[in-house]
Amino acid sequence: MKRPKTAAERKARIDGILTGLDHMYPDATCALLHRNPWELLVATILSAQCTDKRVNEVTPGLFAKYPTPQDFAAVKPEVLAADIRSTGFFNNKAKSIVGAAQRVVNEFGGQVPKTIEEMLTIPGAARKTANVVLGTAYGIASGVVVDTHVSRISQRLDLTRNTDPVKIEQDLVKIIPKERWILFSHQLILHGRALCTARSPQCEPCELNPLCYAKDKQA
Ligand code: SF4
């Protein structure tokens, strides 16, 4: 397959990738159930090393038991850990969520902040979590969410040659138009689950196939 050489060819290829993603995943959005930015922050912390499905089984009951950030701020981490046990890594997640709640209540008046700089001061909120919450709950394009799917597909599509998530994000924000950052993240996550899976990508039905020269592309 001919690889893009000029800036114009690279841009045309990116446009083609975005168009292909739009065809395959026109309504891509975050799969984590939430009613407000705080609930999305909690759900995102819970989603580390856990499926969205499992998180969605836990959060309705959790938010009924602790309806506000103030409720989470007041609970002991070991008590919360028992409530979120099925999501795995529950002790660390409970500490992060209680710490996040205390910071949101004490420093931000009970509201999840709207800037990446403030978000990154919240326990348990690294760039991935901050970008998920700002993008999905507030519609603020603060960056590109880089999870395992976005990392893998960005590498396969030669949008980055880095492996560190922060560096991958720096590469992506240079080549993906800012107005596409939020949707692009959701689309790649869906693509990673549906077709471009880690072990054996299903390349035949993939609309990005004509633009993809990944080493592990399937014939
Ligand atoms: S062609 Fe295959 S490897 Fe390339 S993006 Fe599509 S599914 Fe992934």
Side-chain angles (χ1 to χ4, degrees), residues 156-157 191 195-196 201-203 206 208-209 212 214 217:
R156 279 178 172 158
L157 289 172
H191 190 43
L195 297 179
C196 197
Q202 296 177 53
C203 301
C206 174
L208 310 185
N209 194 323
C212 180
K217 197 171 138 179

Side-chain angles (χ1 to χ4, degrees), residues 36 38-39 42 66-75 97-98 100-102 104-105 109-112:
N36 54 53
W38 166 250
E39 290 188 358
V42 173
Y66 309 104
T68 67
Q70 287 79 2
D71 296 310
F72 280 97
V75 71
I97 291 169
V98 172
Q102 290 171 345
V104 164
V105 169
Q111 299 297 318
V112 175

Side-chain angles (χ1 to χ4, degrees), residues 44-78:
T44 307
I45 291 173
L46 291 176
S47 72
Q49 308 290 320
C50 181
T51 63
D52 289 354
K53 183 169 175 283
R54 174 62 59 87
V55 173
N56 288 340
E57 286 165 6
V58 169
T59 45
L62 190 69
F63 297 138
K65 186 170 180 183
Y66 309 104
T68 67
Q70 287 79 2
D71 296 310
F72 280 97
V75 71
K76 285 196 167 57
E78 52 270 32

Side-chain angles (χ1 to χ4, degrees), residues 179-199:
E179 67 273 14
R180 289 297 305 256
W181 289 354
I182 299 170
L183 182 61
F184 176 77
S185 308
H186 292 315
Q187 288 173 327
L188 280 205
I189 291 167
L190 284 186
H191 190 43
R193 289 174 179 159
L195 297 179
C196 197
T197 53
R199 291 216 178 144

